Amino acid sequence: MLVTNPRALRDAYPDALKSIMCIAEARHTRSWLSRWNLLSPQPTPLWQLPDLARRLNVAEVHVKDESVRSSLGSFKALGAPAALVRLIVRRHPSWVPEDVLAGAHRDELGDLVVISATDGNHGRALAAAARSAGVRCVIVLHRHVSLERERAIAAFGAEIVRIEGNYDASVAHAAHLAERHGWQVISDTAYPGYEEVPRDVMQGYGTMIDEVLEQAGPAGQACPFTHVVLQGGVGGLAAGVASYFWERFGAHRPTFIVVEPRQADCLMQSALQGRPAVATGSVDSVMAGLACGETSTLAWRFLEPSVDCFAAIEDGHAVEAMRWLAQGSRLDRPIVSGESGAAGAAALHMLALSPSWRQQAGLGADSKVLLINTEGATAPGVYAELVGRTADEVLQAQREWARAGAA
């Protein structure tokens, strides 16, 4: 299903939104977050996939590969750590962010406890940052989070709380525990009265686009992409990315397309209803990072006026995309892309091959598309089962592809 958003604007970035998230703050976050020893000091790659572009009859397809951002395996390494540090620095204005992540103040942070619900990647990133800073961390997991993802979070010293129900139930439980014990919630899901931390999470995601525009070539007036396909979830990633592009290029921003699992379509429902809404389905999805039933109220303030189309896909489409991204081709580098990471590629594939969807999205032979591979094999066992090959085997194929290209 594809829904066109009648409220999308082609104007300058509104001052009201700029006062919440802006490029200057994204760059400031990047300047100190990039020094964290769990992040790669170099920008993540921006790959081109010319064979895929030819198959889909578009000019270019670019993939920002967040699978190699860090050992954490996803773009979430930019969000939760940024929000945690900003929370601490607000309490201690004289402290330097780099020192916080280096653990220089761990003795003074013994009474701080942070908590969050997660489908996996956000909680893992928060747990890692909390351990670096010397902060106690509690993570709430719902019943559909795999034991493999639980172990990856617990490896960073986080205390795990398991509940029945789905992601939205875990968000509510985390908020309840925080209120009961005086803990601090670090979440990308905003709700009335809780927007400062989610804003900081989303602001951290601007790092990706700061890098992308550097990698795409010399700064100019024109945007290097006509279309950007973004994963949905509660809307944090899409808001962080769209706000950066919108501020930078104004009325000439790219067309934004948000993709969600069919059964976790809270953003599409928000577009249809004209307000933050809930999903119509069971929410459970193989795209674990996108299995969210309630829209972030803060994210929606950015998405309602900027996203042009909302697409809903089946789980099987994401799995198929995982496989052909892993396979690569003569000109396309094999890429390790997890279940949620491949959602953007799956949506582009469906858009480009459907004449009606293609027309709705304004895709043409001259379109230049940006995708974000938001995660690698963050659950290696699940990845191998779905793709039929391990992540290590795909990485080996990637190295062989690179050697063949250099020969």
Side-chain angles (χ1 to χ4, degrees), residues 61-394:
V61 175
H62 301 254
V63 179
K64 181 65 168 169
D65 190 0
E66 291 298 300
S67 70
V68 295
R69 174 69 64 182
S70 77
S71 59
L72 302 173
S74 85
F75 80 105
K76 294 286 190 177
L78 297 172
L84 173 62
V85 172
R86 284 182 175 270
L87 172 73
I88 293 171
V89 171
R90 277 194 294 273
R91 293 180 165 204
H92 303 278
S94 64
W95 291 4
V96 177
E98 296 95 315
D99 291 345
V100 173
L101 277 175
H105 301 288
R106 64 176 56 250
D107 291 342
E108 299 150 280
L109 292 171
D111 62 343
L112 177 61
V113 182
V114 294
I115 185 171
S116 186
T118 187
D119 283 307
N121 292 338
H122 175 84
R124 189 179 182 186
L126 178 59
R131 187 177 72 171
S132 291
V135 173
R136 181 183 167 200
C137 180
V138 179
I139 298 296
V140 181
L141 303 178
H142 59 84
R143 62 189 175 92
H144 297 291
V145 177
S146 68
L147 289 175
E148 190 173 26
R149 287 192 166 95
E150 176 183 335
R151 287 193 292 268
I153 296 168
F156 288 101
E159 302 166 36
I160 305 297
V161 175
R162 276 278 186 178
I163 67 156
E164 290 298 315
N166 58 21
Y167 173 75
D168 300 300
S170 67
V171 170
H173 192 71
H176 168 72
L177 290 177
E179 184 176 2
R180 178 180 175 185
H181 298 290
W183 298 343
Q184 299 297 313
V185 178
I186 304 292
S187 174
D188 60 357
T189 303
Y191 43 84
Y194 179 74
E195 292 192 339
E196 193 169 43
V197 170
R199 176 207 62 197
D200 294 339
V201 172
M202 295 190 297
Q203 190 76 83
Y205 299 153
T207 290
M208 292 183 289
I209 308 310
D210 204 47
E211 293 177 357
V212 162
L213 294 178
E214 289 177 357
Q215 294 166 314
Q221 296 301 312
C223 180
F225 312 104
T226 61
H227 293 73
V228 179
V229 185
L230 296 164
Q231 288 84 336
V234 301
L237 166 69
V241 170
S243 67
Y244 192 113
F245 272 114
W246 193 4
E247 181 182 351
R248 174 66 180 81
F249 297 104
H252 303 289
R253 65 167 178 80
T255 293
F256 296 117
I257 302 163
V258 165
V259 56
E260 304 171 281
R262 177 190 53 76
Q263 64 272 43
D265 61 346
C266 60
L267 299 179
M268 178 179 286
Q269 291 304 314
S270 299
L272 291 170
Q273 298 175 36
R275 58 178 174 80
V278 299
T280 56
S282 66
V283 177
D284 303 331
S285 171
V286 71
M287 292 170 272
L290 307 181
C292 307
E294 296 187 22
T295 300
S296 168
T297 55
L298 180 60
W300 187 245
R301 291 173 62 182
F302 292 84
L303 300 182
E304 183 177 30
S306 65
V307 175
D308 301 279
C309 298
F310 293 86
I313 65 172
E314 302 288 347
D315 283 3
H317 296 137
V319 175
E320 290 174 7
M322 291 171 68
R323 292 170 180 165
W324 48 256
L325 285 170
Q327 183 63 36
S329 68
R330 186 177 68 86
L331 296 179
D332 293 356
R333 176 186 302 267
I335 295 174
V336 176
S337 184
E339 309 92 283
S340 299
L348 175 62
H349 194 266
M350 294 181 65
L351 284 165
L353 297 183
S354 166
S356 60
W357 283 26
R358 189 179 179 96
Q359 183 177 18
Q360 278 182 264
L363 274 176
D366 59 347
S367 295
K368 300 177 181 180
V369 185
L370 173 65
L371 306 174
I372 299 178
N373 179 30
T374 54
E375 65 174 1
T378 53
V382 173
Y383 180 88
E385 180 180 352
L386 294 176
V387 175
R389 304 163 68 190
T390 67
D392 285 343
E393 289 172 335
V394 177

Side-chain angles (χ1 to χ4, degrees), residues 51-60 352-353 358 363-367:
D51 278 340
L52 178 61
R54 184 171 58 252
R55 190 164 77 244
L56 301 183
N57 191 26
V58 297
E60 298 174 4
L353 297 183
R358 189 179 179 96
L363 274 176
D366 59 347
S367 295

